[in-house]
Amino acid sequence: MDIADRVVVLRHGKVTGAADTSETNSTALAEMMVGSEITSPTIQRSVPGAEVLALDAITTPSLREVSLSLHAGQITGLAGVSGNGQAGLAALVGGLEMPGAGRLTVHGRDVDTWNPRAALAAGIG
């Protein structure tokens, strides 16, 4: 919108709309792109539930003293440069790896056996 005087929208290889940028807005363009009216999502405040999984100073072959708390209803993403522990953390949380040191609790209880079946049973997906 800032660098053009006119925009043309293509959908499935066909022109679905055109407009002068001075006579349109981003909502109208988005509606031309998807082919229907777009409604803004309702924003609702989320309150995480009880703690499901807690890592306290966990050490594995690929992690060193990691602490983390995951709560019911919470979505957690892992990001970083490849090789910096994301795969090891995902393996641990998913039950593919047991901690060598530290404390792992699920629903407030210490874990003796941790595997994918136990992770799924605990509601971790």
Side-chain angles (χ1 to χ4, degrees), residues 33-80:
M33 290 176 191
V34 299
S36 61
E37 183 179 344
I38 296 175
T39 57
S40 296
T42 303
I43 298 173
Q44 297 176 341
R45 187 160 189 85
S46 175
V47 178
E51 184 177 74
V52 174
L53 179 126
L55 312 177
D56 184 20
I58 293 289
T59 298
T60 69
S62 60
L63 303 173
R64 187 174 41 208
E65 296 186 12
V66 172
S67 295
L68 175 70
S69 177
L70 300 176
H71 294 260
Q74 181 181 41
I75 299 171
T76 301
L78 300 174

Side-chain angles (χ1 to χ4, degrees), residues 16-121:
T16 59
D20 290 336
T21 55
S22 62
E23 297 176 8
T24 191
N25 58 48
S26 59
T27 301
L29 289 177
E31 289 176 353
M32 280 191 265
M33 290 176 191
V34 299
S36 61
E37 183 179 344
I38 296 175
T39 57
S40 296
T42 303
I43 298 173
Q44 297 176 341
R45 187 160 189 85
S46 175
V47 178
E51 184 177 74
V52 174
L53 179 126
L55 312 177
D56 184 20
I58 293 289
T59 298
T60 69
S62 60
L63 303 173
R64 187 174 41 208
E65 296 186 12
V66 172
S67 295
L68 175 70
S69 177
L70 300 176
H71 294 260
Q74 181 181 41
I75 299 171
T76 301
L78 300 174
V81 177
S82 181
N84 283 333
Q86 312 88 297
L89 182 58
L92 174 69
V93 170
L96 295 172
E97 200 168 298
M98 237 347 240
R103 184 174 177 214
L104 170 65
T105 60
V106 176
H107 297 290
R109 295 187 181 108
D110 288 334
V111 172
D112 294 328
T113 302
W114 189 238
N115 54 45
R117 187 176 306 246
L120 287 171

